[in-house]
Amino acid sequence: MHKPILLAVVLFTLLTKAFAQDSTQTFQQVLNQKVIEIPKLNEKVNISVGNVAIQEFLRGVANNSGVNIDVDPALQINVTNNFSDVRVADILLFLHNQFNLQIDFIGNIITIKGNSGTAVQSKTNRVIYDYETDLVTIDYDNEAINAAIREITRVTGYNIILSPGLDAQRIQGYIQNMPFENAIEKLAFTNGLLAEKTSDGTFIIKSAVKKGDGQEQVSISNYNRGKQVNVESFRRSGIQISTERADSICIYATLAKKLDLIEIIAGQLGINYFIASELKGEISLNVAGITFDEFLNYVLSGSDYTYKNLKGVYIVGGKSINELNDYMVVQLRHRTVDSLLHILPKEMVENIEIKEFVELNSVFLAGASNKIREVSEFIKLIDKPVPVILIEIIVVDVTKSHTISTGIQAGLGDAPATSQQILPGIDYTMSSQAINSLINKFDGFGWVNLGNVSEDFYISLKALENNGFLEIKSTPKLSTLNGHKANLKIGETKYYKEEKSQLYGTQNPSLSNSFEYKSVDADLDITIRPVVSGDNQITLTISVKQSDFDLTSSLGEGAPPNKKNKEFKSTIRIKNEEVIILGGLEQNQIVDSGNGIPFLSRIPILKWIFSSKTKSNSKAKLNIFIKPTIIG
């Protein structure tokens, strides 16, 4: 009789497993096909939840991936999972297998509902304990707390006692292969409870929420694993807090009390803190992946409160408390400290004492701790390497001249030295002796007796042509920091004499003369200011000033020399190591002068005898080549 029944049970079990496996394989085949049609099923998501409704869990998956999901509101399933870099398709397959869900596809919309044709079986092996390693696995879903505690005590052998008033509470949670003491603490925390271990090894489970003065208060309890805080009341008010890692705090809160947030998060992270003065105010936050220090900076920003980490204990209080003031020396690596103060915003350094240490290229900061950290971070942010630009300059100054001098000059006076230059130009001067000697030679022919000229008579004959070409090159190299000016100045200095006369006395005045030599400069002045942009482009602001002495005109002997000035400014943008040319500073000078006897100097042919002329034409051109190079 028993054998047919046993055989039927085994056969039913095998058929059930085969049907479930076939259903899983069929859904996986459908899912693989839908992945091609809906590429967003391949999106990877990171989501961590604890005891939340499956509708909220899938809403988070849909928001992170962009997949359209419709969930039957009648589903009564709570989910506790921690998925990292998991495909949406894999999550759907997991939910299908875990909860026997019916998942259908309508276009790119995914519908999820319960499968009424499958019976729900109660879970077995909800508590698994290894006596050798003291590791326990617990899996409860909306279980009565009395039944759960009895089962845990029976399987593990640890005595667990419930505090009064907890008989009606139900618990849920999944813990795998964790030391028992840690596991019971985490299970209690997940359900808004506290687990305390007595000296005899017994665990007492009690509520973390205490009633006092008609208001619900959060109780923080210290024990060997840190602080645990009940956040269920916060969740009910719309506040969401996740502190899975100390460097990745996630908070969503609207008009939450600052003190409550600090106590909750410090309690969950097991951080020691001390509130030195009454902390008032509310704040709204929506941040993720921040540290505890960053959290405090957000909460206390713009208020009269600050904090300081003193030997692992965070002290929070007013800025007027001396113990919360901090001191810091910040050394600059790439900038000079003397150029720092005018950069710091006034609002940032308000109520902060700042002193410069030029010898160490450092700055001393004193004030509230959070303000000190803010100023320090800003200084480190702007303390970046400044590019150094090498500027190569080639200055080419070319001068060309052409002069013609012709004519005959005769006169009485001191006889100049006799010159007999014929080539390459004629510059022939004869004294009275040379002229008389020439006349005497003509007298021998018996023509006309010309007589002799006086001793102080002379004649000069000139027919000269001069061509000049002068090229001056200079190749200076300058280096400057980004945004700073580089200056090149090349010039000539001349001096003139300035005399002063002053009378002293009234009845018998005496005259005193004094003189002073003063200078006049004629320079080529080039100023270049380079600014490097992010794409290795260099913007050059160039100013060129040129002045020359005017030798063709003068106010008289001892007067200052005249000057000619030229100036231009330009702003251009070129690539690194490109060359630009600046030209156009050109000067043309034409001189046509002559003297002679009136009327006779204008008659053709005769004008060559009775006049002398000088014609000159000169051109001066300045070209400047500039090549900037970023060298550091």
Side-chain angles (χ1 to χ4, degrees):
M1 181 66 183
H2 294 285
K3 289 183 178 181
I5 296 175
L6 181 60
L7 182 60
V9 171
V10 173
L11 182 59
F12 175 77
T13 303
L14 293 177
L15 289 174
T16 302
K17 291 183 177 180
F19 175 77
Q21 185 176 3
D22 182 65
S23 175
T24 300
Q25 293 177 353
T26 301
F27 177 72
Q28 188 166 9
Q29 292 173 358
V30 173
L31 194 59
N32 292 338
Q33 179 63 31
K34 291 299 179 180
V35 165
I36 301 175
E37 300 175 5
I38 309 176
K40 290 186 178 180
L41 290 173
N42 279 320
E43 291 288 333
K44 293 184 178 181
V45 296
N46 298 309
I47 188 167
S48 178
V49 295
N51 192 29
V52 300
I54 191 171
Q55 290 86 351
E56 293 298 321
F57 171 72
L58 289 173
R59 186 165 66 90
V61 173
N63 289 337
N64 289 334
S65 63
V67 177
N68 300 315
I69 301 178
D70 175 70
V71 186
D72 185 359
L75 284 177
Q76 300 294 326
I77 299 176
N78 289 339
V79 180
T80 300
N81 285 312
N82 183 12
F83 293 129
S84 177
D85 288 337
V86 180
R87 294 192 315 153
V88 176
D90 295 335
I91 294 177
L92 294 178
L93 181 60
F94 170 79
L95 295 177
H96 175 271
N97 298 339
Q98 182 76 8
F99 301 106
N100 191 25
L101 298 175
Q102 180 180 341
I103 302 178
D104 298 319
F105 295 87
I106 303 175
N108 62 347
I109 300 176
I110 303 172
T111 63
I112 300 176
K113 57 185 178 180
N115 193 344
S116 59
T118 303
V120 179
Q121 300 179 358
S122 60
K123 296 184 179 179
T124 58
N125 298 330
R126 294 177 297 182
V127 180
I128 302 175
Y129 181 69
D130 189 338
Y131 288 92
E132 295 182 358
T133 61
D134 194 37
L135 298 180
V136 63
T137 297
I138 301 174
D139 185 7
Y140 284 122
D141 185 7
N142 199 26
E143 183 73 17
I145 190 170
N146 281 323
I149 293 301
R150 283 196 298 270
E151 185 176 7
I152 294 174
T153 301
R154 178 178 54 81
V155 174
T156 63
Y158 284 96
N159 293 318
I160 304 174
I161 300 175
L162 286 178
S163 296
L166 298 180
D167 296 339
Q169 183 162 343
R170 307 184 74 84
I171 64 173
Q172 58 189 0
Y174 178 76
I175 299 172
Q176 182 176 1
N177 291 335
M178 182 179 289
F180 179 80
E181 187 172 343
N182 292 348
I184 199 66
E185 291 171 357
K186 298 302 183 292
L187 181 65
F189 169 73
T190 303
N191 293 273
L193 304 171
L194 292 177
E196 292 186 354
K197 186 178 182 180
T198 62
S199 57
D200 60 356
T202 302
F203 289 91
I204 299 176
I205 306 297
K206 61 182 181 179
S207 175
V209 179
K210 294 182 179 180
K211 301 286 183 176
D213 299 332
Q215 295 183 351
E216 190 176 53
Q217 299 179 347
V218 178
S219 173
I220 300 176
S221 176
N222 291 313
Y223 54 93
N224 60 336
R225 294 297 178 183
K227 297 179 179 179
Q228 298 293 332
V229 182
N230 175 32
V231 296
E232 185 62 29
S233 60
F234 281 84
R235 289 174 179 168
R236 289 196 298 267
S237 62
I239 299 176
Q240 301 178 15
I241 300 174
S242 173
T243 56
E244 294 181 359
R245 299 199 314 268
D247 60 346
S248 183
I249 302 173
C250 302
I251 308 171
Y252 173 76
T254 302
L255 297 178
K257 292 183 178 180
K258 294 182 178 181
L259 180 59
D260 291 345
L261 286 178
I262 293 175
E263 290 180 343
I264 288 291
I265 294 177
Q268 290 188 1
L269 295 176
I271 293 176
N272 298 317
Y273 66 93
F274 171 71
I275 306 299
S277 60
E278 185 179 4
L279 186 61
K280 298 180 179 180
E282 297 178 337
I283 191 172
S284 297
L285 283 176
N286 186 8
V287 293
I290 63 173
T291 64
F292 187 72
D293 288 82
E294 292 172 338
F295 160 73
L296 289 179
N297 288 331
Y298 288 134
V299 172
L300 304 179
S301 177
S303 67
D304 295 329
Y305 302 98
T306 183
Y307 75 95
K308 184 177 182 179
N309 187 348
L310 186 61
K311 295 182 180 180
V313 178
Y314 284 84
I315 303 176
V316 182
K319 295 179 179 178
S320 59
I321 301 176
N322 293 330
E323 287 76 6
L324 295 180
N325 289 333
D326 208 347
Y327 311 93
M328 183 180 296
V329 176
V330 182
Q331 186 174 25
L332 280 73
R333 299 177 56 190
H334 307 290
R335 302 184 63 92
T336 56
V337 68
D338 53 1
S339 65
L340 178 65
L341 292 184
H342 72 279
I343 299 177
L344 298 176
K346 293 182 180 179
E347 295 79 6
M348 180 179 294
V349 298
E350 188 177 2
N351 300 326
I352 297 293
E353 182 181 0
I354 303 178
K355 292 184 178 180
E356 298 178 353
F357 286 95
V358 180
E359 296 82 0
L360 299 177
N361 197 36
S362 303
V363 61
F364 171 78
L365 306 175
S369 298
N370 58 339
K371 296 287 289 184
I372 292 295
R373 285 186 293 272
E374 182 182 359
V375 175
S376 173
E377 291 299 324
F378 180 79
I379 293 175
K380 293 177 181 178
L381 182 65
I382 64 175
D383 186 24
K384 303 294 183 182
V386 180
V388 178
I389 299 96
L390 172 66
I391 303 175
E392 300 177 70
I393 303 175
I394 301 177
V395 181
V396 180
D397 193 358
V398 179
T399 303
K400 294 181 180 181
S401 62
H402 179 230
T403 304
I404 298 177
S405 299
T406 61
I408 299 176
Q409 292 181 346
L412 297 174
D414 294 335
T418 302
S419 175
Q420 299 181 352
Q421 177 182 338
I422 298 177
L423 293 176
I426 300 174
D427 187 6
Y428 199 89
T429 302
M430 291 187 295
S431 64
S432 59
Q433 293 84 358
I435 295 173
N436 289 331
S437 176
L438 180 62
I439 292 175
N440 292 332
K441 291 181 181 180
F442 283 102
D443 287 344
F445 292 100
W447 293 348
V448 180
N449 187 4
L450 298 177
N452 292 327
V453 298
S454 62
E455 294 181 356
D456 55 355
F457 184 82
Y458 68 91
I459 293 177
S460 295
L461 177 64
K462 182 179 292 185
L464 296 175
E465 181 176 355
N466 295 324
N467 291 309
F469 179 83
L470 176 63
E471 182 177 2
I472 301 175
K473 290 184 179 180
S474 59
T475 56
K477 295 182 179 181
L478 307 174
S479 294
T480 185
L481 292 177
N482 184 34
H484 292 256
K485 294 181 179 180
N487 182 258
L488 169 66
K489 196 171 185 179
I490 304 173
E492 179 184 1
T493 302
K494 287 189 176 183
Y495 295 88
Y496 66 94
K497 185 178 181 180
E498 183 181 89
E499 296 185 359
K500 295 182 180 179
S501 298
Q502 188 172 1
L503 289 174
Y504 293 96
T506 56
Q507 296 181 353
N508 298 313
S510 60
L511 182 65
S512 174
N513 296 323
S514 62
F515 62 88
E516 180 183 1
Y517 287 98
K518 292 189 175 181
S519 62
V520 179
D521 297 326
D523 302 317
L524 171 63
D525 191 350
I526 303 175
T527 302
I528 303 174
R529 180 177 178 266
V531 176
V532 180
S533 57
D535 54 354
N536 271 356
Q537 297 276 344
I538 304 176
T539 301
L540 299 177
T541 302
I542 304 171
S543 174
V544 179
K545 298 179 181 180
Q546 185 187 21
S547 59
D548 292 311
F549 293 116
D550 186 1
L551 303 179
T552 61
S553 62
S554 176
L555 298 177
E557 185 178 356
N562 294 335
K563 287 201 311 181
K564 298 178 180 179
N565 298 314
K566 299 176 183 178
E567 179 179 356
F568 80 88
K569 296 181 179 180
S570 178
T571 300
I572 59 174
R573 187 175 184 180
I574 61 175
K575 293 182 179 180
N576 184 31
E577 298 186 5
E578 281 189 348
V579 179
I580 60 169
I581 180 171
L582 303 178
L585 295 179
E586 186 172 343
Q587 178 180 348
N588 295 330
Q589 185 175 12
I590 299 176
V591 178
D592 190 354
S593 62
N595 53 63
I597 299 174
F599 302 111
L600 294 178
S601 62
R602 299 180 184 179
I603 300 174
I605 300 176
L606 291 179
K607 67 181 180 181
W608 296 100
I609 301 174
F610 297 102
S611 68
S612 64
K613 290 186 177 182
T614 300
K615 289 184 178 181
S616 66
N617 185 3
S618 63
K619 290 184 179 181
K621 190 172 184 179
L622 177 66
N623 291 322
I624 302 173
F625 299 85
I626 300 176
K627 176 185 176 183
T629 303
I630 303 174
I631 60 176

